[in-house]
Amino acid sequence: MTHNQVIFVGTVEREIKAFTGEKPLVSLFLKGDTERGSVFMPVTVRGELAQKLISKVDNWQVGDEVYIEGELDWESYEKNGEKKYQTVILAKNIYKIEGV
């Protein structure tokens, strides 16, 4: 059995997009720092977790630090008539890190 799990801590780099309705979705774009530089990662939150997060993201803003647990996944989109794919984190838990 294989296991796909990722933990990512980063800052919100773009305005958070939230979509309500039958299939709630929240989309974030985060920046994390590594020894070799910065890495940028799209994050998707779906279902019940997205529904809970939608009521909170109005208080989240660019620059906030976020902790994510999830799994690596991929999404497709079209650009200039060509199908593209990108790796994303599919969030299972997500928390805004509050300063003390």
Side-chain angles (χ1 to χ4, degrees), residues 25-98:
L25 176 107
V26 176
S27 178
L28 300 95
F29 190 75
L30 303 181
K31 174 186 155 194
D33 294 320
T34 70
E35 289 181 13
R36 298 188 314 172
S38 298
V39 62
F40 296 89
M41 183 63 64
V43 178
T44 300
V45 186
R46 299 181 192 272
E48 187 178 320
L49 182 58
Q51 189 64 43
K52 290 178 184 178
L53 188 58
I54 286 170
S55 65
K56 297 179 181 183
V57 293
D58 286 342
N59 297 322
W60 294 23
Q61 56 191 333
V62 171
D64 284 344
E65 193 170 22
V66 178
Y67 172 93
I68 305 231
E69 294 174 354
E71 61 186 32
L72 292 178
D73 201 0
W74 60 271
E75 293 177 349
S76 64
Y77 62 97
E78 243 183 76
K79 184 175 183 179
N80 300 326
E82 186 178 339
K83 194 161 194 169
K84 304 269 186 179
Y85 299 90
Q86 70 178 1
T87 302
V88 300
I89 296 174
L90 181 56
K92 302 296 182 188
N93 287 304
I94 182 168
Y95 307 96
K96 179 179 169 185
I97 299 174
E98 302 285 346

